[in-house]
Amino acid sequence: MREAIHSPGVSRMVMAGLVALIVLALVSAPALLPSARAEDGDGGASATPAEVKEELTELAVEGVGRRSVSYDGAFGRFTVSVLRDSLITAVSDGNRSVQAIADAVAENCTKTEPEGADHTTPPTCISPNGLQTVGIRIEEEFDWTEQGRVSRGFRYENRLSIAIRGTGFAGGLVDMVITSGGDNVRFDGLDFTVSRRAEFERLALLDAIDDAQAIARAIAGHMGYEIVRIVRITPGAGFDPYAVERFSGDDSPAAEAASEPTPVFGGAEVVTSRVSMVFELRPKS
C-alpha cells in the first residue's frame, strides 16, 4: 500500500506566488493605459490644451438726436352744426352755411403763391387742397322727460377742414370761416404743420446714431475696453406733439367772435429721434 506524501510548505509557496502576480498586475495597469491611449490617437501625437477664447462683453447704449423745425403750414378744423324741427330745414340751413364758407375760401384763397407776391403786405391765404369735407352726420336728437322721450329736432353736422401754406394767415382763416358761416359754425381747432417732417426725422436719427457711438466710445475707453463691432441697432423715431392753438367752440354769435382779429402765433417744434445700439467690447491689449 502506497502512502500519499503531503508537503504543506509547497502549497504555501504557490499561494504566495499567485498573490505577488496579482499585485504586480494592479501596479503596472495604470502605467500601460497612457501608451494605449497614445496608440489609439492619430500618429501617436500627445494631446495639447485647447486655446483660450478672447474675453468679450456687450454694452447697450441709447442715443438721442433732436432737430428744431419751424412750422410752415396750418390746418383748420370746423363743424357746421344745425338743429331744426324739420329734417329738410336742418339740411337746407346747414348746406347754406357750408356754401357760404366755400364761397369765401374760393374768393380769398389761392392754390399757389402768386409770382409777384409781396411778403410785406398782409398774408395771403394759400390753400393747395382747398376746403374739404371730413364727414356728414344727420340724426334726430331726443330729450328724456317725465312724459318719456321727446324729440328735440334733427341735427345736421358737416365737418370741414382746410390746410393753408405758411402760418401768417392762420388767424385770418379762423375769422374768415366763422364770419362767412355764421352762428352755425363751430371752431374745432387749429394745428400747425411741418411739410418736411420725414427729412428732419432722418437727420435727427443720424444725430442719435452719432450720439450713441460717442457714448459707447466714452464708456469703453473709461473702462479700458475697445469697441469690436456693433451687435445690434434698433432705431425708434419720435417727436414732440404738434403745438396746437385751440379756441372755444361755444355758441356765441359769429359777429362777436370776429369783432377782433384772432391772434395766432406760429413757432417751431423739436423733432426727436432715438436709437438703441449694442456694442461688443474687448479689453485693450
Side-chain angles (χ1 to χ4, degrees):
M1 184 175 182
R2 185 177 299 174
E3 294 181 358
I5 302 174
H6 298 280
S7 302
V10 175
S11 54
R12 282 197 297 269
M13 292 177 60
V14 172
M15 291 298 296
L18 290 174
V19 172
L21 289 174
I22 293 172
V23 172
L24 179 62
L26 293 175
V27 172
S28 59
L32 297 175
L33 288 177
S35 60
R37 292 195 190 99
E39 290 175 359
D40 292 339
D42 49 345
S46 59
T48 59
E51 294 183 0
V52 178
K53 291 186 177 180
E54 187 177 26
E55 182 182 354
L56 299 176
T57 188
E58 288 187 353
L59 171 66
V61 174
E62 182 183 66
V64 180
R66 294 184 176 89
R67 292 284 178 126
S68 178
V69 52
S70 298
Y71 298 120
D72 57 7
F75 180 80
R77 293 173 284 111
F78 308 87
T79 299
V80 173
S81 181
V82 177
L83 179 64
R84 298 288 187 270
D85 294 336
S86 166
L87 174 61
I88 296 177
T89 303
V91 173
S92 177
D93 290 352
N95 287 341
R96 189 177 296 109
S97 294
V98 172
Q99 188 59 51
I101 296 172
D103 293 341
V105 171
E107 180 182 354
N108 295 283
C109 299
T110 62
K111 291 186 177 181
T112 57
E113 187 173 1
E115 294 182 1
D118 183 3
H119 294 283
T120 62
T121 61
T124 303
C125 176
I126 303 172
S127 179
N129 299 324
L131 191 67
Q132 296 184 349
T133 297
V134 178
I136 297 177
R137 181 176 68 92
I138 304 174
E139 63 181 5
E140 187 176 6
E141 292 186 358
F142 298 91
D143 273 341
W144 291 92
T145 66
E146 294 179 356
Q147 289 75 31
R149 190 176 69 167
V150 177
S151 175
R152 296 183 63 240
F154 293 88
R155 173 73 65 181
Y156 168 92
E157 285 191 349
N158 193 325
R159 292 185 290 122
L160 305 170
S161 69
I162 181 170
I164 60 173
R165 188 173 298 164
T167 60
F169 191 71
L173 174 67
V174 175
D175 296 336
M176 180 184 70
V177 173
I178 291 178
T179 301
S180 59
D183 295 346
N184 297 328
V185 178
R186 184 179 72 229
F187 176 48
D188 296 329
L190 180 72
D191 297 338
F192 292 116
T193 59
V194 178
S195 61
R196 299 164 58 199
R197 174 179 298 281
E199 176 185 349
F200 281 92
E201 285 182 352
R202 284 193 294 269
L203 293 174
L205 179 59
L206 297 179
D207 294 341
I209 293 174
D210 293 340
D211 182 53
Q213 289 179 319
I215 294 174
R217 286 193 296 268
I219 294 176
H222 183 73
M223 298 179 63
Y225 282 78
E226 61 182 356
I227 297 175
V228 178
R229 64 188 181 99
I230 298 173
V231 177
R232 184 168 57 256
I233 178 169
T234 307
F239 54 88
D240 296 340
Y242 281 177
V244 179
E245 291 287 341
R246 291 194 177 275
F247 299 83
S248 174
D250 55 21
D251 296 326
S252 58
E256 294 180 8
S259 60
E260 291 292 333
T262 301
V264 174
F265 307 98
E269 70 175 69
V270 177
V271 176
T272 304
S273 291
R274 293 178 171 82
V275 63
S276 298
M277 300 180 67
V278 177
F279 299 85
E280 193 172 65
L281 310 179
R282 67 184 173 199
K284 289 183 178 180
S285 54

